Amino acid sequence: MDPLSFSSSAAMAQQTWELENNIVTMEPPQSSESDSVFHYDESAQAKIQQEKPWLKDPHYFKRVKISALALLKMVVHARSGGTIEIMGLMQGKTDGDAIIVMDAFALPVEGTETRVNAQADAYEYMVEYSQTNKQAGRLENVVGWYHSHPGYGCWLSGIDVSTQMLNQQYQEPFLAVVIDPTRTVSAGKVEIGAFRTYPEGYMPSDEPVSEYQTIPLNKIEDFGVHCKQYYSMDVTYFKSSLDCHLLDLLWNKYWVNTLSSSPLLGNGDYVAGQISDLAEKLEQAEGQLSHSRFGSLITPTQRKKEEQSQLAKITRDSAKITVEQVHGLMSQVIKNTLFNSVRQSVKTQPESSGPEPMVQS
Amino acid sequence: MASSSSGLTFKLHPLVIVNISDHHTRVKSQSQPPTATSASNSPAPRVFGCVIGVQRGRTVEIFNSFELLYDSSTRSLDRSFLEKKQDLYKKVFPNFYILGWYSTGADAEESDMHIHKALMDINENPVYVLLNPLINHAQKDLPVTIYESEMHVIDGIPQLIFVRSSYTIETVEAERISVDHVAHLKPSDGGSAATQLAAHLTGIHSAIKMLNSRIRVLHHYLNAMQKGEIPYEHSLLRQVSSLLRRLPAIESEKFQDDFLMEYNDTLLISYLAMFTDCSSTMNDLVDKINIAYDRHSRKGGRTAFI
């Protein structure tokens, strides 16, 4: 394999991929402009606080920019909680219709799904932490809160919605972020969502539903009741030039971890939970379908469409689970081929003959 | 500087590196606002902070870090601030202890020993993590060094000097994914199955490419050694030989069984998904036919489809 041709074809592939996915690259790292976002302009922020442009338009903030550091901290904290929900606060500033999150810190409270104002426990901690931070040169204010939904997706539950509505009354500008660490590990990409609630009684214009995600059966009611009371925002990430440089170099040491990661092993019970949840949904859908079979003369076409889309949803969910599993298995098979199928002259080599279904006798 | 002989192995998490880098960038941009004239030539001010983590036996694992105040008049760290911050972090991460401190700069300086000694009452063997913030694109290695202090006899006087230690980068799966995500800006939405597959395989491909290049280097080196261009280095040869002897990685019956079982489980899942997809399509088809051949159509159109 000629390394030269490798890299040029790889470069072409990368460009096509970038084009397909509308990747916007930041400015070249040499310029100091990309780091200007790190500069905290006290007077500009104070001015925005006085003007309060968000009062006129409930849909004012549309985008969120999260720094690499904040994302890393939040995901690590969320994962360290295991199956317990954790929460924390984010610091940053506003910039036009975007909220910029520069940093995040964890709060010593747990289990926010059962209490509305868990933040009250942590006020003392919050105040002390903000004070010490300001001394150490972190000048931004608290601009939102984040918490985790381990395994059941990124959305706001009823309690979350009431908490956020309260926050948006008294602590504007404020943002709610939800992270799902279990799905992150299972899918291999970060599951994160940023939301703002509408004020009480505001009727949003019919928006296109944001990216679909599967919600477990026991939570789906909670989701459905409140899903119209908030909207989600676009999340983008940014990093400083030094971060870029360091992350590039980090890859030199990191590739071992990428190769050795085995998502299948870590997430076994989560996948089992997903499949059993899917089975329940299927039973539910089946029950509805069999009714409509007999009542096909009378029932309007609307109900049929609903059940059909129910089945379609289930199909999408099952496809998603399968894709994740297959990806995990691919890594395992690759590792097996790389490290186990040595000494081919001595043994017969079933592994290298490719993925034919192997039946266990 | 000699290399460390304390026998401790150091593991560094990427979060610490990003933390230090962010601290540095923040302080730099505050002191040199972007409206200032072009490229700043004055060196960025040094930042200082504390690293925390866990020490288990001979392994020191550095998980996180936070900022500290540096008093340049007394050339020491603000002690009360440190303790306040330590309390706050203890509440959220009760397992982590202060393992040492960090700073930015090109090289360890004499004044650093002063700070190092001050921390010795918290941890009798603190580590010093140094990050070089100057972006040097020619550099291939991570500009992070870990120093320990050792007592050496120099000119008859026992002194503490800094010695370098080697470290490995350790990570948990979630950390790896988010670092990957930010580093390579992968597509954040679901995308099609094809893009997901492409992203996944690209990651693995790059990792394997790295592995390949490393092996080539070794191969080249061994070839040169064989031809006699380079003198024999037996310790290296021993390491390479032990590495080779570790292949194949696992060869037991039990592994084969488990591996095949996992394989079959995945195949079963994809079979079920295919089934679900098929039944959903069939369902759609039946519904469409029912609508098209509605037996109670008022126009009395087509006959019922049985």
Side-chain angles (χ1 to χ4, degrees), chain A residues 244-287:
Chain A
C244 265
H245 181 67
L246 287 175
L247 288 173
D248 280 339
L249 290 175
L250 202 58
W251 177 246
N252 284 345
K253 303 244 162 116
Y254 223 65
W255 56 274
V256 180
N257 296 75
T258 309
L259 203 51
S260 63
S261 74
S262 1
L264 282 188
L265 296 177
N267 261 8
D269 50 351
Y270 165 70
V271 175
Q274 287 290 88
I275 294 182
S276 75
D277 183 69
L278 204 60
E280 279 175 30
K281 283 191 186 155
L282 206 52
E283 272 185 41
Q284 227 185 35
E286 187 199 345

mmCIF file of all heavy atoms in Angstrom, chain A residues 244-287:
data_model
loop_
_atom_site.group_PDB
_atom_site.id
_atom_site.type_symbol
_atom_site.label_atom_id
_atom_site.label_comp_id
_atom_site.label_asym_id
_atom_site.label_seq_id
_atom_site.Cartn_x
_atom_site.Cartn_y
_atom_site.Cartn_z
ATOM 1 N N CYS A 244 -7.312 23.115 19.128
ATOM 2 C CA CYS A 244 -7.178 22.413 17.840
ATOM 3 C C CYS A 244 -5.856 21.676 17.779
ATOM 4 O O CYS A 244 -5.790 20.487 17.501
ATOM 5 C CB CYS A 244 -7.167 23.417 16.691
ATOM 6 S SG CYS A 244 -8.744 23.666 15.961
ATOM 7 N N HIS A 245 -4.825 22.462 18.049
ATOM 8 C CA HIS A 245 -3.468 21.942 17.947
ATOM 9 C C HIS A 245 -3.281 20.760 18.891
ATOM 10 O O HIS A 245 -2.774 19.706 18.506
ATOM 11 C CB HIS A 245 -2.518 23.078 18.299
ATOM 12 C CG HIS A 245 -1.081 22.725 18.218
ATOM 13 N ND1 HIS A 245 -0.444 22.430 17.040
ATOM 14 C CD2 HIS A 245 -0.141 22.602 19.175
ATOM 15 C CE1 HIS A 245 0.816 22.152 17.278
ATOM 16 N NE2 HIS A 245 1.035 22.254 18.569
ATOM 17 N N LEU A 246 -3.716 20.944 20.139
ATOM 18 C CA LEU A 246 -3.528 19.895 21.125
ATOM 19 C C LEU A 246 -4.312 18.642 20.763
ATOM 20 O O LEU A 246 -3.816 17.525 20.908
ATOM 21 C CB LEU A 246 -3.969 20.387 22.503
ATOM 22 C CG LEU A 246 -3.024 21.386 23.155
ATOM 23 C CD1 LEU A 246 -3.631 21.883 24.438
ATOM 24 C CD2 LEU A 246 -1.701 20.734 23.438
ATOM 25 N N LEU A 247 -5.550 18.847 20.293
ATOM 26 C CA LEU A 247 -6.365 17.689 19.958
ATOM 27 C C LEU A 247 -5.758 16.921 18.785
ATOM 28 O O LEU A 247 -5.800 15.696 18.761
ATOM 29 C CB LEU A 247 -7.794 18.124 19.635
ATOM 30 C CG LEU A 247 -8.598 18.570 20.838
ATOM 31 C CD1 LEU A 247 -9.924 19.145 20.405
ATOM 32 C CD2 LEU A 247 -8.839 17.404 21.772
ATOM 33 N N ASP A 248 -5.199 17.659 17.835
ATOM 34 C CA ASP A 248 -4.536 16.971 16.730
ATOM 35 C C ASP A 248 -3.401 16.102 17.242
ATOM 36 O O ASP A 248 -3.235 14.958 16.836
ATOM 37 C CB ASP A 248 -3.944 17.998 15.740
ATOM 38 C CG ASP A 248 -5.017 18.526 14.817
ATOM 39 O OD1 ASP A 248 -6.051 17.844 14.682
ATOM 40 O OD2 ASP A 248 -4.813 19.607 14.243
ATOM 41 N N LEU A 249 -2.601 16.695 18.139
ATOM 42 C CA LEU A 249 -1.463 15.941 18.650
ATOM 43 C C LEU A 249 -1.917 14.799 19.540
ATOM 44 O O LEU A 249 -1.268 13.763 19.612
ATOM 45 C CB LEU A 249 -0.546 16.874 19.442
ATOM 46 C CG LEU A 249 0.195 17.885 18.579
ATOM 47 C CD1 LEU A 249 0.968 18.832 19.457
ATOM 48 C CD2 LEU A 249 1.121 17.181 17.630
ATOM 49 N N LEU A 250 -3.027 15.028 20.223
ATOM 50 C CA LEU A 250 -3.546 13.998 21.111
ATOM 51 C C LEU A 250 -3.840 12.727 20.336
ATOM 52 O O LEU A 250 -3.681 11.622 20.856
ATOM 53 C CB LEU A 250 -4.827 14.516 21.765
ATOM 54 C CG LEU A 250 -5.270 13.878 23.060
ATOM 55 C CD1 LEU A 250 -4.202 14.007 24.091
ATOM 56 C CD2 LEU A 250 -6.529 14.536 23.527
ATOM 57 N N TRP A 251 -4.257 12.915 19.079
ATOM 58 C CA TRP A 251 -4.587 11.763 18.254
ATOM 59 C C TRP A 251 -3.398 10.802 18.158
ATOM 60 O O TRP A 251 -3.580 9.595 18.044
ATOM 61 C CB TRP A 251 -5.026 12.230 16.873
ATOM 62 C CG TRP A 251 -5.325 11.132 15.940
ATOM 63 C CD1 TRP A 251 -4.659 10.807 14.803
ATOM 64 C CD2 TRP A 251 -6.357 10.158 16.065
ATOM 65 N NE1 TRP A 251 -5.212 9.712 14.215
ATOM 66 C CE2 TRP A 251 -6.262 9.290 14.959
ATOM 67 C CE3 TRP A 251 -7.360 9.937 17.010
ATOM 68 C CZ2 TRP A 251 -7.129 8.227 14.770
ATOM 69 C CZ3 TRP A 251 -8.237 8.871 16.811
ATOM 70 C CH2 TRP A 251 -8.101 8.038 15.704
ATOM 71 N N ASN A 252 -2.199 11.334 18.230
ATOM 72 C CA ASN A 252 -1.028 10.461 18.148
ATOM 73 C C ASN A 252 -0.995 9.446 19.261
ATOM 74 O O ASN A 252 -0.419 8.378 19.123
ATOM 75 C CB ASN A 252 0.263 11.289 18.226
ATOM 76 C CG ASN A 252 0.543 11.990 16.924
ATOM 77 O OD1 ASN A 252 -0.053 11.650 15.910
ATOM 78 N ND2 ASN A 252 1.421 12.958 16.935
ATOM 79 N N LYS A 253 -1.548 9.826 20.406
ATOM 80 C CA LYS A 253 -1.526 8.872 21.500
ATOM 81 C C LYS A 253 -2.872 8.149 21.609
ATOM 82 O O LYS A 253 -2.997 7.155 22.288
ATOM 83 C CB LYS A 253 -1.307 9.619 22.835
ATOM 84 C CG LYS A 253 -0.062 10.459 22.867
ATOM 85 C CD LYS A 253 0.891 9.934 23.912
ATOM 86 C CE LYS A 253 2.271 10.452 23.667
ATOM 87 N NZ LYS A 253 2.850 11.281 24.604
ATOM 88 N N TYR A 254 -3.847 8.708 20.967
ATOM 89 C CA TYR A 254 -5.225 8.343 21.206
ATOM 90 C C TYR A 254 -5.710 7.174 20.385
ATOM 91 O O TYR A 254 -6.683 6.536 20.737
ATOM 92 C CB TYR A 254 -6.079 9.547 20.795
ATOM 93 C CG TYR A 254 -7.147 9.841 21.732
ATOM 94 C CD1 TYR A 254 -6.851 10.252 23.002
ATOM 95 C CD2 TYR A 254 -8.462 9.716 21.357
ATOM 96 C CE1 TYR A 254 -7.832 10.536 23.873
ATOM 97 C CE2 TYR A 254 -9.452 10.011 22.242
ATOM 98 C CZ TYR A 254 -9.133 10.424 23.493
ATOM 99 O OH TYR A 254 -10.115 10.720 24.359
ATOM 100 N N TRP A 255 -5.031 6.953 19.271
ATOM 101 C CA TRP A 255 -5.598 6.019 18.312
ATOM 102 C C TRP A 255 -5.730 4.634 18.935
ATOM 103 O O TRP A 255 -6.592 3.845 18.552
ATOM 104 C CB TRP A 255 -4.707 5.985 17.069
ATOM 105 C CG TRP A 255 -3.296 5.650 17.346
ATOM 106 C CD1 TRP A 255 -2.301 6.501 17.697
ATOM 107 C CD2 TRP A 255 -2.707 4.349 17.335
ATOM 108 N NE1 TRP A 255 -1.142 5.817 17.896
ATOM 109 C CE2 TRP A 255 -1.349 4.499 17.677
ATOM 110 C CE3 TRP A 255 -3.186 3.065 17.085
ATOM 111 C CZ2 TRP A 255 -0.478 3.422 17.766
ATOM 112 C CZ3 TRP A 255 -2.322 1.995 17.166
ATOM 113 C CH2 TRP A 255 -0.987 2.180 17.511
ATOM 114 N N VAL A 256 -4.878 4.380 19.924
ATOM 115 C CA VAL A 256 -4.969 3.083 20.593
ATOM 116 C C VAL A 256 -6.344 2.914 21.221
ATOM 117 O O VAL A 256 -6.968 1.864 21.110
ATOM 118 C CB VAL A 256 -3.896 2.997 21.694
ATOM 119 C CG1 VAL A 256 -3.973 1.676 22.389
ATOM 120 C CG2 VAL A 256 -2.530 3.206 21.096
ATOM 121 N N ASN A 257 -6.808 3.987 21.874
ATOM 122 C CA ASN A 257 -8.095 3.886 22.540
ATOM 123 C C ASN A 257 -9.227 3.696 21.543
ATOM 124 O O ASN A 257 -10.163 2.961 21.808
ATOM 125 C CB ASN A 257 -8.373 5.150 23.360
ATOM 126 C CG ASN A 257 -7.386 5.317 24.473
ATOM 127 O OD1 ASN A 257 -6.254 5.688 24.222
ATOM 128 N ND2 ASN A 257 -7.796 5.026 25.682
ATOM 129 N N THR A 258 -9.134 4.386 20.395
ATOM 130 C CA THR A 258 -10.189 4.225 19.395
ATOM 131 C C THR A 258 -10.266 2.782 18.948
ATOM 132 O O THR A 258 -11.347 2.213 18.826
ATOM 133 C CB THR A 258 -9.881 5.096 18.162
ATOM 134 O OG1 THR A 258 -9.602 6.401 18.589
ATOM 135 C CG2 THR A 258 -11.062 5.100 17.226
ATOM 136 N N LEU A 259 -9.096 2.214 18.694
ATOM 137 C CA LEU A 259 -9.087 0.847 18.199
ATOM 138 C C LEU A 259 -9.581 -0.113 19.269
ATOM 139 O O LEU A 259 -10.287 -1.073 18.987
ATOM 140 C CB LEU A 259 -7.656 0.479 17.780
ATOM 141 C CG LEU A 259 -7.513 -0.657 16.773
ATOM 142 C CD1 LEU A 259 -8.411 -0.416 15.589
ATOM 143 C CD2 LEU A 259 -6.090 -0.736 16.313
ATOM 144 N N SER A 260 -9.229 0.152 20.522
ATOM 145 C CA SER A 260 -9.526 -0.827 21.551
ATOM 146 C C SER A 260 -10.898 -0.629 22.169
ATOM 147 O O SER A 260 -11.279 -1.389 23.038
ATOM 148 C CB SER A 260 -8.468 -0.764 22.645
ATOM 149 O OG SER A 260 -8.516 0.501 23.243
ATOM 150 N N SER A 261 -11.654 0.372 21.731
ATOM 151 C CA SER A 261 -12.961 0.580 22.355
ATOM 152 C C SER A 261 -13.915 -0.519 21.943
ATOM 153 O O SER A 261 -13.934 -0.937 20.796
ATOM 154 C CB SER A 261 -13.523 1.929 21.930
ATOM 155 O OG SER A 261 -13.962 1.851 20.608
ATOM 156 N N SER A 262 -14.693 -1.027 22.893
ATOM 157 C CA SER A 262 -15.673 -2.051 22.528
ATOM 158 C C SER A 262 -17.028 -1.633 23.054
ATOM 159 O O SER A 262 -17.389 -1.975 24.180
ATOM 160 C CB SER A 262 -15.317 -3.411 23.079
ATOM 161 O OG SER A 262 -14.153 -3.358 23.813
ATOM 162 N N PRO A 263 -17.805 -0.927 22.249
ATOM 163 C CA PRO A 263 -19.099 -0.451 22.738
ATOM 164 C C PRO A 263 -20.071 -1.582 23.054
ATOM 165 O O PRO A 263 -20.960 -1.427 23.868
ATOM 166 C CB PRO A 263 -19.620 0.405 21.580
ATOM 167 C CG PRO A 263 -18.821 0.024 20.406
ATOM 168 C CD PRO A 263 -17.511 -0.460 20.908
ATOM 169 N N LEU A 264 -19.885 -2.740 22.436
ATOM 170 C CA LEU A 264 -20.820 -3.835 22.689
ATOM 171 C C LEU A 264 -20.744 -4.292 24.130
ATOM 172 O O LEU A 264 -21.735 -4.576 24.773
ATOM 173 C CB LEU A 264 -20.495 -5.024 21.782
ATOM 174 C CG LEU A 264 -20.961 -4.913 20.327
ATOM 175 C CD1 LEU A 264 -20.737 -6.247 19.655
ATOM 176 C CD2 LEU A 264 -22.422 -4.558 20.263
ATOM 177 N N LEU A 265 -19.530 -4.375 24.646
ATOM 178 C CA LEU A 265 -19.377 -4.921 25.977
ATOM 179 C C LEU A 265 -19.936 -3.972 27.024
ATOM 180 O O LEU A 265 -20.546 -4.383 27.993
ATOM 181 C CB LEU A 265 -17.886 -5.153 26.266
ATOM 182 C CG LEU A 265 -17.214 -6.197 25.385
ATOM 183 C CD1 LEU A 265 -15.743 -6.269 25.722
ATOM 184 C CD2 LEU A 265 -17.859 -7.545 25.590
ATOM 185 N N GLY A 266 -19.710 -2.683 26.825
ATOM 186 C CA GLY A 266 -20.084 -1.736 27.870
ATOM 187 C C GLY A 266 -21.594 -1.544 27.997
ATOM 188 O O GLY A 266 -22.093 -1.228 29.058
ATOM 189 N N ASN A 267 -22.313 -1.727 26.910
ATOM 190 C CA ASN A 267 -23.703 -1.293 26.909
ATOM 191 C C ASN A 267 -24.699 -2.416 26.807
ATOM 192 O O ASN A 267 -25.806 -2.233 26.337
ATOM 193 C CB ASN A 267 -23.919 -0.337 25.735
ATOM 194 C CG ASN A 267 -23.871 1.095 26.204
ATOM 195 O OD1 ASN A 267 -23.531 1.363 27.341
ATOM 196 N ND2 ASN A 267 -24.210 1.989 25.324
ATOM 197 N N GLY A 268 -24.323 -3.603 27.234
ATOM 198 C CA GLY A 268 -25.186 -4.765 27.068
ATOM 199 C C GLY A 268 -26.569 -4.591 27.640
ATOM 200 O O GLY A 268 -27.574 -4.813 26.963
ATOM 201 N N ASP A 269 -26.651 -4.134 28.896
ATOM 202 C CA ASP A 269 -27.985 -4.073 29.504
ATOM 203 C C ASP A 269 -28.817 -2.950 28.915
ATOM 204 O O ASP A 269 -30.045 -3.045 28.851
ATOM 205 C CB ASP A 269 -27.894 -3.962 31.031
ATOM 206 C CG ASP A 269 -26.945 -2.869 31.457
ATOM 207 O OD1 ASP A 269 -26.243 -2.340 30.582
ATOM 208 O OD2 ASP A 269 -26.904 -2.570 32.648
ATOM 209 N N TYR A 270 -28.154 -1.880 28.445
ATOM 210 C CA TYR A 270 -28.918 -0.803 27.810
ATOM 211 C C TYR A 270 -29.589 -1.314 26.551
ATOM 212 O O TYR A 270 -30.777 -1.044 26.295
ATOM 213 C CB TYR A 270 -27.989 0.371 27.508
ATOM 214 C CG TYR A 270 -28.571 1.365 26.563
ATOM 215 C CD1 TYR A 270 -29.624 2.179 26.957
ATOM 216 C CD2 TYR A 270 -28.094 1.500 25.270
ATOM 217 C CE1 TYR A 270 -30.172 3.098 26.092
ATOM 218 C CE2 TYR A 270 -28.637 2.413 24.398
ATOM 219 C CZ TYR A 270 -29.666 3.214 24.810
ATOM 220 O OH TYR A 270 -30.208 4.110 23.944
ATOM 221 N N VAL A 271 -28.832 -2.077 25.751
ATOM 222 C CA VAL A 271 -29.397 -2.603 24.505
ATOM 223 C C VAL A 271 -30.547 -3.545 24.800
ATOM 224 O O VAL A 271 -31.599 -3.513 24.147
ATOM 225 C CB VAL A 271 -28.303 -3.327 23.693
ATOM 226 C CG1 VAL A 271 -28.896 -3.970 22.473
ATOM 227 C CG2 VAL A 271 -27.227 -2.349 23.280
ATOM 228 N N ALA A 272 -30.351 -4.387 25.838
ATOM 229 C CA ALA A 272 -31.431 -5.311 26.193
ATOM 230 C C ALA A 272 -32.685 -4.538 26.587
ATOM 231 O O ALA A 272 -33.804 -4.889 26.194
ATOM 232 C CB ALA A 272 -30.968 -6.205 27.350
ATOM 233 N N GLY A 273 -32.488 -3.449 27.336
ATOM 234 C CA GLY A 273 -33.613 -2.611 27.717
ATOM 235 C C GLY A 273 -34.313 -2.027 26.507
ATOM 236 O O GLY A 273 -35.549 -2.022 26.413
ATOM 237 N N GLN A 274 -33.529 -1.551 25.556
ATOM 238 C CA GLN A 274 -34.107 -0.974 24.345
ATOM 239 C C GLN A 274 -34.947 -1.991 23.609
ATOM 240 O O GLN A 274 -36.046 -1.695 23.123
ATOM 241 C CB GLN A 274 -32.989 -0.498 23.406
ATOM 242 C CG GLN A 274 -32.268 0.741 23.842
ATOM 243 C CD GLN A 274 -33.138 1.962 23.732
ATOM 244 O OE1 GLN A 274 -33.854 2.294 24.670
ATOM 245 N NE2 GLN A 274 -33.107 2.629 22.606
ATOM 246 N N ILE A 275 -34.419 -3.222 23.497
ATOM 247 C CA ILE A 275 -35.130 -4.239 22.722
ATOM 248 C C ILE A 275 -36.429 -4.609 23.412
ATOM 249 O O ILE A 275 -37.476 -4.767 22.760
ATOM 250 C CB ILE A 275 -34.230 -5.466 22.499
ATOM 251 C CG1 ILE A 275 -33.049 -5.070 21.622
ATOM 252 C CG2 ILE A 275 -35.003 -6.575 21.849
ATOM 253 C CD1 ILE A 275 -32.134 -6.191 21.288
ATOM 254 N N SER A 276 -36.399 -4.747 24.743
ATOM 255 C CA SER A 276 -37.640 -5.114 25.423
ATOM 256 C C SER A 276 -38.651 -3.981 25.319
ATOM 257 O O SER A 276 -39.849 -4.206 25.157
ATOM 258 C CB SER A 276 -37.357 -5.475 26.876
ATOM 259 O OG SER A 276 -37.107 -4.325 27.621
ATOM 260 N N ASP A 277 -38.169 -2.734 25.372
ATOM 261 C CA ASP A 277 -39.058 -1.593 25.194
ATOM 262 C C ASP A 277 -39.701 -1.618 23.814
ATOM 263 O O ASP A 277 -40.900 -1.364 23.645
ATOM 264 C CB ASP A 277 -38.237 -0.319 25.390
ATOM 265 C CG ASP A 277 -39.077 0.908 25.297
ATOM 266 O OD1 ASP A 277 -39.899 1.121 26.199
ATOM 267 O OD2 ASP A 277 -38.934 1.636 24.301
ATOM 268 N N LEU A 278 -38.895 -1.948 22.821
ATOM 269 C CA LEU A 278 -39.384 -2.039 21.450
ATOM 270 C C LEU A 278 -40.439 -3.122 21.335
ATOM 271 O O LEU A 278 -41.461 -2.961 20.652
ATOM 272 C CB LEU A 278 -38.208 -2.371 20.529
ATOM 273 C CG LEU A 278 -38.347 -1.964 19.075
ATOM 274 C CD1 LEU A 278 -38.531 -0.470 18.986
ATOM 275 C CD2 LEU A 278 -37.109 -2.372 18.324
ATOM 276 N N ALA A 279 -40.217 -4.244 22.030
ATOM 277 C CA ALA A 279 -41.184 -5.339 21.996
ATOM 278 C C ALA A 279 -42.520 -4.889 22.566
ATOM 279 O O ALA A 279 -43.590 -5.183 22.019
ATOM 280 C CB ALA A 279 -40.637 -6.529 22.779
ATOM 281 N N GLU A 280 -42.462 -4.133 23.665
ATOM 282 C CA GLU A 280 -43.714 -3.637 24.249
ATOM 283 C C GLU A 280 -44.441 -2.719 23.295
ATOM 284 O O GLU A 280 -45.660 -2.800 23.127
ATOM 285 C CB GLU A 280 -43.405 -2.867 25.527
ATOM 286 C CG GLU A 280 -43.199 -3.744 26.734
ATOM 287 C CD GLU A 280 -42.766 -2.921 27.941
ATOM 288 O OE1 GLU A 280 -43.161 -1.741 28.021
ATOM 289 O OE2 GLU A 280 -42.043 -3.470 28.758
ATOM 290 N N LYS A 281 -43.681 -1.839 22.659
ATOM 291 C CA LYS A 281 -44.309 -0.909 21.721
ATOM 292 C C LYS A 281 -44.960 -1.667 20.583
ATOM 293 O O LYS A 281 -46.023 -1.298 20.082
ATOM 294 C CB LYS A 281 -43.262 0.040 21.153
ATOM 295 C CG LYS A 281 -42.857 1.140 22.092
ATOM 296 C CD LYS A 281 -42.028 2.179 21.369
ATOM 297 C CE LYS A 281 -41.496 3.193 22.348
ATOM 298 N NZ LYS A 281 -40.277 3.827 21.873
ATOM 299 N N LEU A 282 -44.279 -2.734 20.171
ATOM 300 C CA LEU A 282 -44.800 -3.542 19.071
ATOM 301 C C LEU A 282 -46.123 -4.174 19.458
ATOM 302 O O LEU A 282 -47.080 -4.194 18.676
ATOM 303 C CB LEU A 282 -43.773 -4.628 18.731
ATOM 304 C CG LEU A 282 -43.760 -5.194 17.317
ATOM 305 C CD1 LEU A 282 -43.684 -4.078 16.312
ATOM 306 C CD2 LEU A 282 -42.560 -6.097 17.170
ATOM 307 N N GLU A 283 -46.167 -4.686 20.698
ATOM 308 C CA GLU A 283 -47.417 -5.286 21.154
ATOM 309 C C GLU A 283 -48.542 -4.271 21.168
ATOM 310 O O GLU A 283 -49.661 -4.557 20.758
ATOM 311 C CB GLU A 283 -47.228 -5.841 22.567
ATOM 312 C CG GLU A 283 -46.722 -7.256 22.581
ATOM 313 C CD GLU A 283 -46.675 -7.798 23.991
ATOM 314 O OE1 GLU A 283 -47.619 -7.523 24.751
ATOM 315 O OE2 GLU A 283 -45.691 -8.485 24.297
ATOM 316 N N GLN A 284 -48.201 -3.087 21.646
ATOM 317 C CA GLN A 284 -49.197 -2.024 21.685
ATOM 318 C C GLN A 284 -49.717 -1.727 20.284
ATOM 319 O O GLN A 284 -50.917 -1.656 20.034
ATOM 320 C CB GLN A 284 -48.558 -0.762 22.244
ATOM 321 C CG GLN A 284 -49.391 -0.096 23.304
ATOM 322 C CD GLN A 284 -48.774 1.206 23.721
ATOM 323 O OE1 GLN A 284 -48.180 1.904 22.898
ATOM 324 N NE2 GLN A 284 -48.920 1.544 24.970
ATOM 325 N N ALA A 285 -48.770 -1.576 19.354
ATOM 326 C CA ALA A 285 -49.156 -1.260 17.980
ATOM 327 C C ALA A 285 -49.986 -2.383 17.390
ATOM 328 O O ALA A 285 -50.949 -2.147 16.661
ATOM 329 C CB ALA A 285 -47.904 -1.022 17.138
ATOM 330 N N GLU A 286 -49.612 -3.613 17.718
ATOM 331 C CA GLU A 286 -50.355 -4.755 17.190
ATOM 332 C C GLU A 286 -51.795 -4.734 17.682
ATOM 333 O O GLU A 286 -52.730 -4.991 16.941
ATOM 334 C CB GLU A 286 -49.652 -6.039 17.619
ATOM 335 C CG GLU A 286 -50.242 -7.277 16.993
ATOM 336 C CD GLU A 286 -49.856 -8.524 17.762
ATOM 337 O OE1 GLU A 286 -48.923 -8.425 18.582
ATOM 338 O OE2 GLU A 286 -50.497 -9.553 17.555
ATOM 339 N N GLY A 287 -51.949 -4.442 18.986
ATOM 340 C CA GLY A 287 -53.286 -4.368 19.551
ATOM 341 C C GLY A 287 -54.144 -3.371 18.802
ATOM 342 O O GLY A 287 -55.278 -3.645 18.423
#
